Every structure is written in C-alpha cells, then in structure tokens.
DNA sequence: TCAGGAAAGTTCGTATACGAACTTATCAAT
DNA sequence: ATTGATAAGTTCGTATACGAACTTTCCTGA
C-alpha cells in the first residue's frame, strides 16, 4: 500500500487493514470518533469520512448513539438453479426452492405474505407477454430462515390461471413444493425457468426488511416460469442480501 | 418517495430523479457546487455529500477544476454460461467468452495483461485441488470493450500443464477461443465449468481500474474449469461492474 | 497568428463548531 | 427489587471558513 496523500484515505486504509488482518475482530466496537480523531491527529470530519467509506464497503456498521462496530460475517447461503428441481420432484418431505437453498428444514421456515389483485403495468406485461392492464395476483413474501430474514420477493400469477383456486388463497402459504407445486395443482406443468440476476444496492425499504445496512449490495433476480411456451409466473424482483448468499452455476460441455 | 428529513438526502434524491427522468442528460455539466448550495438553500458541505452519494452510485462524475458531469450510461452486458459454448465451438471468427457476452467484435476488444509465476496459497490450492505451494501461472487481465474497462480477472493455470508452452507466453494474448482454446491447444479437453457468483463492493483498486464509483457493487465470480475430473484452470476472482451487467441463467425441467 | 502566462472558475481537503437524536449506564424513589 | 428519571456517551446533521490543486478562459506580448 503506497503512501496516501489524503488523511481520510490513510485512516480508512489503516482501519481496513486492521479489520482484514483480524486485529479488529467482528463485533468489536471501535473507539468513538472523538478518540479516533485524537489518535490519528485529524479533525472529526475526516474520521467520519473514513468511516463512511468503510461502511460503504460493508466492513463496519454504525449504530447511532451506541457506537461503530466491525461487521459480523453471516454464513453463506448457496443459490443454484438446482433448487427448482426439488420443487418439481417427489414430495417425501415438504420443501420449496427456498428451503433447499437455505439448507433448512420445513420447520425452520417462515414467511410474511401479502396478496393483492393488481393490473399489469408495462414491465410486468412485457415479462408475462400479455397486455398492459391484465389482471394479476401479486404476492409479496419475506422469507425467514431460522428467524433471520434472508429473502424477499414479489411473485405474480395470471388471474386467468389462478382466480378462484386455492392457490389464490393466502392461507395456504407456505405451500409445500413451492411455486411449481402450486402450478402443478392447477394442471400447469412447468418446463422451463429463466432467471436474470442483477446486482444493486438495496432500497431503504429492502434494507430494513432484510435487516442489512444500506451499504450491503443485494442480488436482484427476475424469474420467469414457463409452461408450454408461455410465461405462467413472474417473480420480480427476488431480493437476496449479498452478504450471505452466492450463486452456484455450472455448465457441462 | 416520502419526504426526507435530511437536507443532503433530499438534494441527492432530487438530482437522482432529474438524472433518471432525463431532465439532466448524460454528459451534461451540473451547476457548480456554489450555485447548487444557493439554489437548494443549504451549505456547500451538504451539496458535496449529496454529490458524493450520486458519485458512489455511478450516476455522476466529478473532474477536479472542471466540474461535475452526468455520467454516460454504458450499455448492459448479459453474462450467461452459454459464453463457454463459444469458446469450445468452431472458430470461424475469433471470439472468446468475453467478446460473446459483451456482444462486440474482436477488433473492439482489448486487454491489459500481467503474467507471473507464483506458488499456490491456501485458497488457490483448495480450488485446484492441489498442494499448497504448487507452481502456478498467474495471469491478471483487464478487459476493455469499446475502450471501456468492463471486466478484470485473475486466471491461473498449473505450471505442470503450461510451463514452456505458448500458452505461458503473454505475447499470445488475447488468444482466439479464450481459455478453452488455449487448453485445447495443449490437448486438454474442457468438459465442465463451475462458477460461484458473489456480490460485494469493489476494493478501491478495483473501483479505479474498472472506472466505477466505490459505491457501485460488483459481481465477483470464481470459476473452476474441469477436464477429465480435475481442475485445470481457476479464475479467482473475475470482477464485473454491477452497473453494466446482468447474469442470465435458465433451467429446463 | 501564435505562444505564454495570468486570471477566473471549480472541485476538493481540511478545521472548528454546535446542537439534535439516540443509546447506555447510573442512580434515586417507590 | 423494580421502575423511572437523569446523566453521560455516541453518532449524525449542519454551518462557516480558508486554502490547495486543477482546468478553462482570456488577455497580453512578440
């Protein structure tokens, strides 16, 4: 690391180094900004800038009125397209794509849900391949694994497919077998799933619901579920905290 | 968007909105901070904070002594595992997985490279499935598409495979057909590729090389290339700016 | 006409300062 | 012993201020 000309960068570099090497261990509380300013011999505003940089990098977390802490690294969850195989497979034990990925059992699983009938806006209509204004069942979920929020999503189904069926009834969630299971109960056989994965910073709302700092990036996945050549389900977006998940993909040539 | 209690967030929101809606078009120069401060009726330091947020989001770019400009939005690049099919396919026109993804021709493609012989550290050894300390050819690349840096990576090959071959000679980069082509030239037939995709904030170094703000998240991909059941190449990490790329994946049930 | 340099404009680094908002620790009163 | 109020500690929002470093414009002089 070459000598930095700017004091706040030097401070940031130094603290980052200490965190990376483990001199500052996760969960540890940093000295108050007052002290840091004194130690480094710079004004408080430079300390604040340095801390903001580290906060953006996801290395630290500030709690107002309490202090600044080195962030804990939560366990990693592996997301793979294979999870959709369990949805459609035999159901010895109840599972969904989510429980599969999170590596948890049905009983450690919980979700918040909110159903609504809406009209497809431009984006949704394009994803579905239907006209704008088409009636759609919008289902918003927040998934918890062992109490920790670890995924939220908005999943949509066409009213023409599900209106008046048990699938449209929130009380049946969570549904063993997940989306694919639900669709199968309607006689719709899912044959292809496409996902578009983007990465971005969370909205303030997402950050709060997922219990992450606003400096932690997220996966934002758009999923299209196909059956007989048409789109039967659209999830847009599926939001997953980036600090506790990785995608796994493979190709055989 | 609800009313924000904090002035600098209001300013940032307002400017962001103007950029998103196109009221401020790419390339345009913003009013100087002095004027902005006056317009919004806040002190200059709040303007600076607001601008820093937008800079981190990759929306604007400040040139010292000159002004602050709305950034040009680079086109979105789609990353899919399909790109590895090109590598191994017939070579009518030279291509690599990178040119395929970026949707560019060979001539719009350029890369910086740096080769070195190193000894495998713990992580690398585990990825390869060899002993720590094994000799490895480390190749660092920065890929440019139409002049814009859009990917950087560290790709490693085992010395036992490549030492003394043309593949180990930097002058042969870029190699038509990419990694797979190189390995084929050594008589190694790639049969499987696995990728682990994480999302995180860029290191300061990565942000600089990729020309992104430190607030723009990146894809960090670890790739393992297999042939006959062993790992013949490891790319760790492949770093791709999150503001100009999305992953595309699909599964057929 | 052209080169050189000064002047103006601009972002950026940095300091001091004060109070608001929030959390934690302390201590007193019931 | 439990509760409730108070104080201390801490981050955060915000203001003013000055000069450094850099870029662009413009003017001067040959």
């Amino acid at each position: 690391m070459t000598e930095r000309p700017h004091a706040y960068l030097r401070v940031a570099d130094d603290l980052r180094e200490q965190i990376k090497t483990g001199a500052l261990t996760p969960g540890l509380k940093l000295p108050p900004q007052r002290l840091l300013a004194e130690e480094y011999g710079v004004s408080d505003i430079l300390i604040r800038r340095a801390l903001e940089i580290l906060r953006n990098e996801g290395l630290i977390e500030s709690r107002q009125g309490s202090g600044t802490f080195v962030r804990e690294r939560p366990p990693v969850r592996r997301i793979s397209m294979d999870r959709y195989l369990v949805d459609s497979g035999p159901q010895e034990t109840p599972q969904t794509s989510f429980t599969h990925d999170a590596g948890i059992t049905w009983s450690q699983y919980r979700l918040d849900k909110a159903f609504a009938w809406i009209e497809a806006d431009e984006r949704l209509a394009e994803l579905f391949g239907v006209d704008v204004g088409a009636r759609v069942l919008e289902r918003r979920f927040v998934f918890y694994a062992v109490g920790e929020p670890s995924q939220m999503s908005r999943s949509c189904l066409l009213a023409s497919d599900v209106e008046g069926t048990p699938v449209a009834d929130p009380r049946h969630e969570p549904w063993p077998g997940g989306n694919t299971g639900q669709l199968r109960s309607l006689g719709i056989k899912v044959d292809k799933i496409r996902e578009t994965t983007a990465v971005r910073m969370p909205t303030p709302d997402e950050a709060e619901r997922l219990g992450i700092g606003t400096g932690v990036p997220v996966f934002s996945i758009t999923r299209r579920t196909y059956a007989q050549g048409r789109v039967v389900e659209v999830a847009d977006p599926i939001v997953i905290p980036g600090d506790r998940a990785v995608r796994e993909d493979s190709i055989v040539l």
Side-chain angles (χ1 to χ4, degrees), chain A residues 92-109:
Chain A
E92 306 120 26
T93 52
Q95 269 217 320
T96 69
S97 52
F98 178 77
T99 59
H100 174 260
D101 266 352
I104 57 173
T105 64
W106 190 250
S107 62
Q108 296 173 296
Y109 168 54

Side-chain angles (χ1 to χ4, degrees), chain A residues 106 111-115 137 139 141 164-176 182:
Chain A
W106 190 250
L111 58 75
D112 291 343
K113 56 204 169 189
F115 281 39
L137 174 63
R139 309 170 300 165
F141 300 110
T165 72
V167 171
D169 185 342
R171 284 171 304 182
H172 290 123
E173 290 288 350
W175 187 298
Q182 291 181 319

Side-chain angles (χ1 to χ4, degrees), chain A residues 64-75:
Chain A
Q64 180 166 177
S66 175
T68 301
F69 303 81
V70 180
R71 278 192 53 169
E72 317 264 1
R73 294 252 161 245

